[in-house]
Amino acid sequence: MLNAFAIALAAEEHVNESVPNHWLVGGIVLVFLLVLLAGLLAFGAGREHS
């Protein structure tokens, strides 16, 4: 009986409106990393300074 109740509860879709869209979060993180990469390349990190 408990297993059937647990399955029924798990099958219900619960949408939490306070959670941000995962595509939006991923896009923001991607843009942030690309900005960091552009800054790294623009300021010449990794160049040989002799």
Side-chain angles (χ1 to χ4, degrees):
M1 182 71 180
L2 182 60
N3 287 340
F5 181 68
I7 291 172
L9 282 178
E12 290 182 16
E13 237 182 273
H14 180 71
V15 177
N16 191 352
E17 295 297 328
S18 66
V19 176
N21 188 353
H22 62 278
W23 288 104
L24 179 64
V25 173
I28 291 171
V29 169
L30 179 64
V31 168
F32 179 69
L33 291 174
L34 288 174
V35 167
L36 288 178
L37 180 63
L40 185 72
L41 294 174
F43 290 102
R47 284 189 193 160
E48 185 68 31
H49 296 286
S50 52

